[in-house]
Amino acid sequence: MSSSKRGRVSAVEAIRGISMMGVIGIHIGAEYLANPSPNIHLVALFDIGTRFSVPIFFFISAFGLFYGQSPSAPFSYRDFLVRRGRAVMIPYLVWSLFYLIHDAYAYGVGFPPLTALPGILFFGNAKYQLYFMVILIWFYLLMPLWRILLARMTLPLLAVILLVQIGFDYWSSFSTAFNLYVYGLPEGTLLRALLFYRLNYWVMHYVFIFLLGGYVALHFDAFRAWMERNTARLYALGIVSLGALLAWYYKLILVDGYTPLEGIYTAHQLSPLGIFYTIGATLALFAFFTRLGTENALGRAFQLLGKHSYFIYLAHPVAITYLLMMIHGAGYVLTAPIALSMYMATLLLTLLAAVIVRKIGERIPVVNELTIGLKPKK
């Protein structure tokens, strides 16, 4: 566990890029489900194959925090929170305010009462993608705990945490008694809000994948050697885990009579097969992008997407909003070809916007600091 600075891991940047593509897919898929007769295979592409996207971001975040570091080295919690606050808290507040103002105008819903703002910000409800930043902030606030755990982490202990994770996520997602209790609580009460929006801020849903990212970072040389010896097996694990989740999704729809919406709300990333897929996809993608490298067009494309993934993640709902307005305004339903075209348009438009904003930020540093938390270069 060296505390010295180490070379950049290009695979992590590429994983960030493909994960951001998956997040866009999930949100385009949500709009596509408004089609009265959605293609269940396209729904599977948008909303099942992408299910690794959110949890793998926590893996990447932990990897970045612990790569080249030692949990036993001197640590200033205050300095850490100041740095992370600049990178996450400032953009979170800026983008939350932006979406509250934007949606008040675009959808005619009006700006929420000031008394509602604390709850909106606490739960990440200013826009549907911002809850991720709330969970990430909680991970940062609990950094001393993660350092203690990772300083003592072993593979058997990590396996135990995985089993606990599966049990906890299953209870949170599928416990009939618990969910009936939550829905039975009086509307407008604090307890109901705290439990109803638990997916928006309970880090417990993603502790295993976060600790796995930290563990891989701390033992990266050994992990890389193991990964290179087992690349084919890791590819197979990724394919088998995806196949298992897809098989469950198709069973829910074709055998059990679920609607596509019910299917994706059941076969999600917190289900046991969803967790299995997250692990399989994480390891397979790490192996794939390590082998792909950056010396070819595909590798450079994913590096570009990864570099700008933060802004794209924050801004893509804007592109989705206005593309939908154009599509519906022209009298079209979101069919499969239109949905796929909308996906590509969203990705390309937000990538272009990200490049432009970063260029502006090079001239006016405060732009980058407010939008993506990028500290101005001295």
Side-chain angles (χ1 to χ4, degrees):
M1 296 183 184
S2 171
S3 61
S4 60
K5 292 294 182 182
R6 306 183 67 179
R8 174 174 162 270
V9 181
S10 62
V12 171
E13 190 88 312
I15 292 171
R16 186 180 288 114
I18 198 171
S19 300
M20 174 274 301
M21 293 175 66
V23 169
I24 294 176
I26 291 171
H27 296 148
I28 296 290
E31 302 296 343
Y32 176 61
L33 282 169
N35 185 314
S37 302
N39 182 300
I40 63 171
H41 309 302
L42 184 57
V43 173
L45 175 65
F46 278 145
D47 288 296
I48 301 298
T50 58
R51 280 297 158 182
F52 68 89
S53 300
V54 171
I56 208 174
F57 270 122
F58 295 121
F59 174 92
I60 293 170
S61 298
F63 185 94
L65 290 174
F66 288 98
Y67 178 62
Q69 303 297 320
S70 170
S72 59
F75 174 70
S76 171
Y77 184 50
R78 179 183 177 278
D79 290 347
F80 171 79
L81 290 182
V82 169
R83 292 195 308 272
R84 293 293 96 191
R86 175 179 280 116
V88 176
M89 182 62 81
I90 292 175
Y92 171 66
L93 294 174
V94 168
W95 282 93
S96 292
L97 180 61
F98 165 78
Y99 278 113
L100 290 173
I101 295 172
H102 171 271
D103 290 1
Y105 169 78
Y107 298 111
V109 296
F111 195 83
L114 294 180
T115 54
L117 288 181
I120 291 172
L121 294 175
F122 182 84
F123 294 120
N125 285 337
K127 200 62 177 178
Y128 49 72
Q129 88 284 23
L130 293 178
Y131 77 95
F132 166 83
M133 300 183 76
V134 174
I135 299 177
L136 195 57
I137 290 167
W138 278 103
F139 270 119
Y140 291 156
L141 290 173
L142 294 169
M143 186 63 171
L145 173 62
W146 314 134
R147 289 173 59 85
I148 292 170
L149 287 173
L150 285 169
R152 297 159 175 78
M153 189 60 64
T154 62
L155 287 176
L157 178 56
L158 201 55
V160 171
I161 292 172
L162 172 58
L163 293 176
V164 173
Q165 183 77 82
I166 292 171
F168 176 82
D169 287 354
Y170 188 87
W171 168 80
S172 178
S173 300
F174 299 107
S175 170
T176 302
F178 174 64
N179 283 283
L180 285 176
Y181 171 74
V182 173
Y183 281 96
L185 291 169
E187 289 277 358
T189 60
L190 178 60
L191 180 59
R192 189 182 196 278
L194 289 171
L195 295 179
F196 185 81
Y197 293 114
R198 61 190 179 278
L199 296 179
N200 291 34
Y201 73 103
W202 280 12
V203 297
M204 296 87 79
H205 290 109
Y206 297 104
V207 164
F208 169 77
I209 197 66
F210 183 86
L211 290 176
L212 179 63
Y215 184 84
V216 166
L218 293 173
H219 303 85
F220 184 65
D221 291 338
F223 170 77
R224 180 169 53 192
W226 172 82
M227 179 176 61
E228 290 173 352
R229 290 194 307 269
N230 294 278
T231 296
R233 292 185 178 91
L234 294 178
Y235 290 169
L237 176 65
I239 293 169
V240 168
S241 62
L242 172 59
L245 189 61
L246 285 171
W248 187 29
Y249 161 78
Y250 282 116
K251 175 186 177 295
L252 290 171
I253 293 176
L254 300 176
V255 178
D256 300 335
Y258 282 46
T259 65
L261 181 62
E262 291 169 339
I264 65 170
Y265 279 172
T266 303
H268 53 64
Q269 70 267 23
L270 298 182
S271 66
L273 285 179
I275 294 173
F276 176 47
Y277 176 47
T278 293
I279 298 168
T282 299
L283 297 176
L285 288 172
F286 216 131
F288 173 76
F289 285 119
T290 297
R291 179 160 292 190
L292 180 66
T294 61
E295 302 304 317
N296 53 77
L298 184 61
R300 288 192 294 271
F302 279 111
Q303 293 297 308
L304 178 67
L305 290 171
K307 177 182 178 180
H308 296 292
S309 60
Y310 197 13
F311 182 90
I312 295 172
Y313 150 76
L314 289 165
H316 73 271
V318 178
I320 290 175
T321 294
Y322 291 103
L323 287 170
L324 274 178
M325 287 182 178
M326 291 172 58
I327 292 166
H328 293 325
Y332 292 106
V333 176
L334 204 60
T335 60
I338 293 175
L340 288 168
S341 300
M342 180 179 169
Y343 174 88
M344 291 305 302
T346 299
L347 179 61
L348 294 175
L349 286 171
T350 49
L351 175 60
L352 177 61
V355 172
I356 292 171
V357 168
R358 190 173 286 250
K359 290 291 185 183
I360 294 173
E362 291 174 358
R363 295 177 177 271
I364 311 172
V366 70
V367 172
N368 279 342
E369 190 167 14
L370 291 176
T371 56
I372 54 174
L374 189 63
K375 186 177 180 181
K377 295 180 180 178
K378 295 182 180 179

PDB file of all heavy atoms in Angstrom, residues 91-111:
ATOM      1  N   PRO A  91     -20.805  21.942  -7.472  1.00  0.00           N
ATOM      2  CA  PRO A  91     -21.585  21.609  -8.680  1.00  0.00           C
ATOM      3  C   PRO A  91     -22.978  21.072  -8.353  1.00  0.00           C
ATOM      4  O   PRO A  91     -23.936  21.364  -9.076  1.00  0.00           O
ATOM      5  CB  PRO A  91     -20.729  20.538  -9.369  1.00  0.00           C
ATOM      6  CG  PRO A  91     -19.344  20.805  -8.900  1.00  0.00           C
ATOM      7  CD  PRO A  91     -19.490  21.267  -7.483  1.00  0.00           C
ATOM      8  N   TYR A  92     -23.097  20.291  -7.277  1.00  0.00           N
ATOM      9  CA  TYR A  92     -24.417  19.757  -6.920  1.00  0.00           C
ATOM     10  C   TYR A  92     -25.408  20.886  -6.636  1.00  0.00           C
ATOM     11  O   TYR A  92     -26.544  20.872  -7.135  1.00  0.00           O
ATOM     12  CB  TYR A  92     -24.310  18.849  -5.700  1.00  0.00           C
ATOM     13  CG  TYR A  92     -25.655  18.436  -5.158  1.00  0.00           C
ATOM     14  CD1 TYR A  92     -26.495  17.620  -5.904  1.00  0.00           C
ATOM     15  CD2 TYR A  92     -26.112  18.899  -3.920  1.00  0.00           C
ATOM     16  CE1 TYR A  92     -27.751  17.266  -5.429  1.00  0.00           C
ATOM     17  CE2 TYR A  92     -27.359  18.544  -3.444  1.00  0.00           C
ATOM     18  CZ  TYR A  92     -28.176  17.732  -4.198  1.00  0.00           C
ATOM     19  OH  TYR A  92     -29.425  17.386  -3.729  1.00  0.00           O
ATOM     20  N   LEU A  93     -24.989  21.862  -5.854  1.00  0.00           N
ATOM     21  CA  LEU A  93     -25.880  22.970  -5.525  1.00  0.00           C
ATOM     22  C   LEU A  93     -26.192  23.830  -6.747  1.00  0.00           C
ATOM     23  O   LEU A  93     -27.341  24.238  -6.963  1.00  0.00           O
ATOM     24  CB  LEU A  93     -25.254  23.825  -4.416  1.00  0.00           C
ATOM     25  CG  LEU A  93     -25.107  23.137  -3.058  1.00  0.00           C
ATOM     26  CD1 LEU A  93     -24.338  24.034  -2.087  1.00  0.00           C
ATOM     27  CD2 LEU A  93     -26.463  22.762  -2.479  1.00  0.00           C
ATOM     28  N   VAL A  94     -25.173  24.079  -7.570  1.00  0.00           N
ATOM     29  CA  VAL A  94     -25.366  24.900  -8.766  1.00  0.00           C
ATOM     30  C   VAL A  94     -26.329  24.224  -9.738  1.00  0.00           C
ATOM     31  O   VAL A  94     -27.278  24.847 -10.234  1.00  0.00           O
ATOM     32  CB  VAL A  94     -24.014  25.183  -9.454  1.00  0.00           C
ATOM     33  CG1 VAL A  94     -24.220  25.785 -10.846  1.00  0.00           C
ATOM     34  CG2 VAL A  94     -23.172  26.122  -8.595  1.00  0.00           C
ATOM     35  N   TRP A  95     -26.113  22.937 -10.000  1.00  0.00           N
ATOM     36  CA  TRP A  95     -26.974  22.225 -10.950  1.00  0.00           C
ATOM     37  C   TRP A  95     -28.363  22.002 -10.378  1.00  0.00           C
ATOM     38  O   TRP A  95     -29.360  21.999 -11.136  1.00  0.00           O
ATOM     39  CB  TRP A  95     -26.335  20.908 -11.360  1.00  0.00           C
ATOM     40  CG  TRP A  95     -25.252  21.093 -12.371  1.00  0.00           C
ATOM     41  CD1 TRP A  95     -23.916  21.251 -12.124  1.00  0.00           C
ATOM     42  CD2 TRP A  95     -25.404  21.192 -13.791  1.00  0.00           C
ATOM     43  NE1 TRP A  95     -23.231  21.419 -13.304  1.00  0.00           N
ATOM     44  CE2 TRP A  95     -24.113  21.380 -14.336  1.00  0.00           C
ATOM     45  CE3 TRP A  95     -26.503  21.111 -14.644  1.00  0.00           C
ATOM     46  CZ2 TRP A  95     -23.907  21.503 -15.707  1.00  0.00           C
ATOM     47  CZ3 TRP A  95     -26.302  21.237 -16.015  1.00  0.00           C
ATOM     48  CH2 TRP A  95     -25.009  21.430 -16.526  1.00  0.00           C
ATOM     49  N   SER A  96     -28.493  21.812  -9.075  1.00  0.00           N
ATOM     50  CA  SER A  96     -29.821  21.688  -8.474  1.00  0.00           C
ATOM     51  C   SER A  96     -30.618  22.973  -8.669  1.00  0.00           C
ATOM     52  O   SER A  96     -31.792  22.938  -9.068  1.00  0.00           O
ATOM     53  CB  SER A  96     -29.696  21.376  -6.975  1.00  0.00           C
ATOM     54  OG  SER A  96     -29.158  20.091  -6.758  1.00  0.00           O
ATOM     55  N   LEU A  97     -29.977  24.103  -8.408  1.00  0.00           N
ATOM     56  CA  LEU A  97     -30.647  25.393  -8.600  1.00  0.00           C
ATOM     57  C   LEU A  97     -30.994  25.584 -10.075  1.00  0.00           C
ATOM     58  O   LEU A  97     -32.101  26.047 -10.407  1.00  0.00           O
ATOM     59  CB  LEU A  97     -29.752  26.525  -8.101  1.00  0.00           C
ATOM     60  CG  LEU A  97     -30.331  27.946  -8.235  1.00  0.00           C
ATOM     61  CD1 LEU A  97     -31.615  28.086  -7.418  1.00  0.00           C
ATOM     62  CD2 LEU A  97     -29.295  28.982  -7.801  1.00  0.00           C
ATOM     63  N   PHE A  98     -30.066  25.214 -10.949  1.00  0.00           N
ATOM     64  CA  PHE A  98     -30.332  25.348 -12.387  1.00  0.00           C
ATOM     65  C   PHE A  98     -31.570  24.560 -12.789  1.00  0.00           C
ATOM     66  O   PHE A  98     -32.451  25.076 -13.495  1.00  0.00           O
ATOM     67  CB  PHE A  98     -29.119  24.859 -13.188  1.00  0.00           C
ATOM     68  CG  PHE A  98     -29.424  24.634 -14.643  1.00  0.00           C
ATOM     69  CD1 PHE A  98     -29.511  25.706 -15.517  1.00  0.00           C
ATOM     70  CD2 PHE A  98     -29.650  23.348 -15.132  1.00  0.00           C
ATOM     71  CE1 PHE A  98     -29.809  25.503 -16.861  1.00  0.00           C
ATOM     72  CE2 PHE A  98     -29.956  23.136 -16.467  1.00  0.00           C
ATOM     73  CZ  PHE A  98     -30.036  24.219 -17.339  1.00  0.00           C
ATOM     74  N   TYR A  99     -31.672  23.310 -12.350  1.00  0.00           N
ATOM     75  CA  TYR A  99     -32.806  22.481 -12.761  1.00  0.00           C
ATOM     76  C   TYR A  99     -34.106  22.949 -12.137  1.00  0.00           C
ATOM     77  O   TYR A  99     -35.172  22.849 -12.769  1.00  0.00           O
ATOM     78  CB  TYR A  99     -32.535  21.011 -12.437  1.00  0.00           C
ATOM     79  CG  TYR A  99     -31.685  20.339 -13.481  1.00  0.00           C
ATOM     80  CD1 TYR A  99     -30.394  19.899 -13.191  1.00  0.00           C
ATOM     81  CD2 TYR A  99     -32.152  20.158 -14.782  1.00  0.00           C
ATOM     82  CE1 TYR A  99     -29.598  19.298 -14.170  1.00  0.00           C
ATOM     83  CE2 TYR A  99     -31.370  19.562 -15.760  1.00  0.00           C
ATOM     84  CZ  TYR A  99     -30.103  19.138 -15.447  1.00  0.00           C
ATOM     85  OH  TYR A  99     -29.320  18.552 -16.414  1.00  0.00           O
ATOM     86  N   LEU A 100     -34.062  23.451 -10.920  1.00  0.00           N
ATOM     87  CA  LEU A 100     -35.288  23.968 -10.313  1.00  0.00           C
ATOM     88  C   LEU A 100     -35.820  25.166 -11.098  1.00  0.00           C
ATOM     89  O   LEU A 100     -37.029  25.289 -11.341  1.00  0.00           O
ATOM     90  CB  LEU A 100     -35.020  24.351  -8.859  1.00  0.00           C
ATOM     91  CG  LEU A 100     -34.783  23.184  -7.893  1.00  0.00           C
ATOM     92  CD1 LEU A 100     -34.367  23.702  -6.520  1.00  0.00           C
ATOM     93  CD2 LEU A 100     -36.023  22.308  -7.777  1.00  0.00           C
ATOM     94  N   ILE A 101     -34.906  26.041 -11.511  1.00  0.00           N
ATOM     95  CA  ILE A 101     -35.318  27.206 -12.291  1.00  0.00           C
ATOM     96  C   ILE A 101     -35.727  26.785 -13.708  1.00  0.00           C
ATOM     97  O   ILE A 101     -36.757  27.216 -14.230  1.00  0.00           O
ATOM     98  CB  ILE A 101     -34.177  28.249 -12.343  1.00  0.00           C
ATOM     99  CG1 ILE A 101     -33.899  28.796 -10.947  1.00  0.00           C
ATOM    100  CG2 ILE A 101     -34.534  29.378 -13.297  1.00  0.00           C
ATOM    101  CD1 ILE A 101     -32.673  29.686 -10.867  1.00  0.00           C
ATOM    102  N   HIS A 102     -34.898  25.942 -14.319  1.00  0.00           N
ATOM    103  CA  HIS A 102     -35.174  25.497 -15.696  1.00  0.00           C
ATOM    104  C   HIS A 102     -36.510  24.778 -15.797  1.00  0.00           C
ATOM    105  O   HIS A 102     -37.333  25.069 -16.671  1.00  0.00           O
ATOM    106  CB  HIS A 102     -34.051  24.568 -16.168  1.00  0.00           C
ATOM    107  CG  HIS A 102     -34.345  23.905 -17.476  1.00  0.00           C
ATOM    108  ND1 HIS A 102     -35.012  22.689 -17.557  1.00  0.00           N
ATOM    109  CD2 HIS A 102     -34.088  24.278 -18.757  1.00  0.00           C
ATOM    110  CE1 HIS A 102     -35.147  22.357 -18.821  1.00  0.00           C
ATOM    111  NE2 HIS A 102     -34.603  23.282 -19.567  1.00  0.00           N
ATOM    112  N   ASP A 103     -36.770  23.833 -14.901  1.00  0.00           N
ATOM    113  CA  ASP A 103     -38.003  23.050 -14.985  1.00  0.00           C
ATOM    114  C   ASP A 103     -39.225  23.881 -14.624  1.00  0.00           C
ATOM    115  O   ASP A 103     -40.321  23.624 -15.139  1.00  0.00           O
ATOM    116  CB  ASP A 103     -37.908  21.819 -14.082  1.00  0.00           C
ATOM    117  CG  ASP A 103     -36.920  20.793 -14.630  1.00  0.00           C
ATOM    118  OD1 ASP A 103     -36.312  21.045 -15.681  1.00  0.00           O
ATOM    119  OD2 ASP A 103     -36.751  19.733 -13.988  1.00  0.00           O
ATOM    120  N   ALA A 104     -39.035  24.864 -13.739  1.00  0.00           N
ATOM    121  CA  ALA A 104     -40.145  25.758 -13.416  1.00  0.00           C
ATOM    122  C   ALA A 104     -40.621  26.470 -14.678  1.00  0.00           C
ATOM    123  O   ALA A 104     -41.827  26.669 -14.888  1.00  0.00           O
ATOM    124  CB  ALA A 104     -39.709  26.777 -12.364  1.00  0.00           C
ATOM    125  N   TYR A 105     -39.673  26.833 -15.544  1.00  0.00           N
ATOM    126  CA  TYR A 105     -40.019  27.512 -16.801  1.00  0.00           C
ATOM    127  C   TYR A 105     -40.434  26.518 -17.880  1.00  0.00           C
ATOM    128  O   TYR A 105     -41.481  26.664 -18.527  1.00  0.00           O
ATOM    129  CB  TYR A 105     -38.816  28.329 -17.280  1.00  0.00           C
ATOM    130  CG  TYR A 105     -38.959  28.851 -18.685  1.00  0.00           C
ATOM    131  CD1 TYR A 105     -39.752  29.967 -18.956  1.00  0.00           C
ATOM    132  CD2 TYR A 105     -38.309  28.226 -19.755  1.00  0.00           C
ATOM    133  CE1 TYR A 105     -39.904  30.444 -20.257  1.00  0.00           C
ATOM    134  CE2 TYR A 105     -38.453  28.696 -21.057  1.00  0.00           C
ATOM    135  CZ  TYR A 105     -39.247  29.800 -21.297  1.00  0.00           C
ATOM    136  OH  TYR A 105     -39.395  30.270 -22.575  1.00  0.00           O
ATOM    137  N   ALA A 106     -39.619  25.469 -18.077  1.00  0.00           N
ATOM    138  CA  ALA A 106     -39.853  24.543 -19.195  1.00  0.00           C
ATOM    139  C   ALA A 106     -41.149  23.762 -19.050  1.00  0.00           C
ATOM    140  O   ALA A 106     -41.832  23.487 -20.039  1.00  0.00           O
ATOM    141  CB  ALA A 106     -38.669  23.582 -19.323  1.00  0.00           C
ATOM    142  N   TYR A 107     -41.488  23.399 -17.820  1.00  0.00           N
ATOM    143  CA  TYR A 107     -42.685  22.574 -17.586  1.00  0.00           C
ATOM    144  C   TYR A 107     -43.834  23.351 -16.948  1.00  0.00           C
ATOM    145  O   TYR A 107     -44.903  22.789 -16.713  1.00  0.00           O
ATOM    146  CB  TYR A 107     -42.337  21.371 -16.704  1.00  0.00           C
ATOM    147  CG  TYR A 107     -41.320  20.449 -17.318  1.00  0.00           C
ATOM    148  CD1 TYR A 107     -40.039  20.343 -16.797  1.00  0.00           C
ATOM    149  CD2 TYR A 107     -41.628  19.681 -18.438  1.00  0.00           C
ATOM    150  CE1 TYR A 107     -39.092  19.497 -17.366  1.00  0.00           C
ATOM    151  CE2 TYR A 107     -40.694  18.831 -19.017  1.00  0.00           C
ATOM    152  CZ  TYR A 107     -39.425  18.752 -18.471  1.00  0.00           C
ATOM    153  OH  TYR A 107     -38.492  17.926 -19.042  1.00  0.00           O
ATOM    154  N   GLY A 108     -43.589  24.615 -16.655  1.00  0.00           N
ATOM    155  CA  GLY A 108     -44.640  25.440 -16.076  1.00  0.00           C
ATOM    156  C   GLY A 108     -45.073  25.016 -14.690  1.00  0.00           C
ATOM    157  O   GLY A 108     -46.219  25.244 -14.290  1.00  0.00           O
ATOM    158  N   VAL A 109     -44.156  24.395 -13.916  1.00  0.00           N
ATOM    159  CA  VAL A 109     -44.528  23.892 -12.589  1.00  0.00           C
ATOM    160  C   VAL A 109     -44.269  24.915 -11.498  1.00  0.00           C
ATOM    161  O   VAL A 109     -44.721  24.750 -10.357  1.00  0.00           O
ATOM    162  CB  VAL A 109     -43.758  22.598 -12.269  1.00  0.00           C
ATOM    163  CG1 VAL A 109     -44.163  21.500 -13.233  1.00  0.00           C
ATOM    164  CG2 VAL A 109     -42.243  22.813 -12.322  1.00  0.00           C
ATOM    165  N   GLY A 110     -43.543  25.977 -11.826  1.00  0.00           N
ATOM    166  CA  GLY A 110     -43.236  26.987 -10.828  1.00  0.00           C
ATOM    167  C   GLY A 110     -42.084  26.568  -9.931  1.00  0.00           C
ATOM    168  O   GLY A 110     -41.797  25.384  -9.774  1.00  0.00           O
ATOM    169  N   PHE A 111     -41.437  27.554  -9.348  1.00  0.00           N
ATOM    170  CA  PHE A 111     -40.331  27.280  -8.430  1.00  0.00           C
ATOM    171  C   PHE A 111     -40.908  26.790  -7.104  1.00  0.00           C
ATOM    172  O   PHE A 111     -41.906  27.328  -6.622  1.00  0.00           O
ATOM    173  CB  PHE A 111     -39.505  28.549  -8.200  1.00  0.00           C
ATOM    174  CG  PHE A 111     -38.169  28.299  -7.570  1.00  0.00           C
ATOM    175  CD1 PHE A 111     -37.084  27.916  -8.345  1.00  0.00           C
ATOM    176  CD2 PHE A 111     -37.994  28.439  -6.206  1.00  0.00           C
ATOM    177  CE1 PHE A 111     -35.841  27.678  -7.772  1.00  0.00           C
ATOM    178  CE2 PHE A 111     -36.752  28.205  -5.612  1.00  0.00           C
ATOM    179  CZ  PHE A 111     -35.676  27.827  -6.401  1.00  0.00           C
TER     180      PHE A 111
END
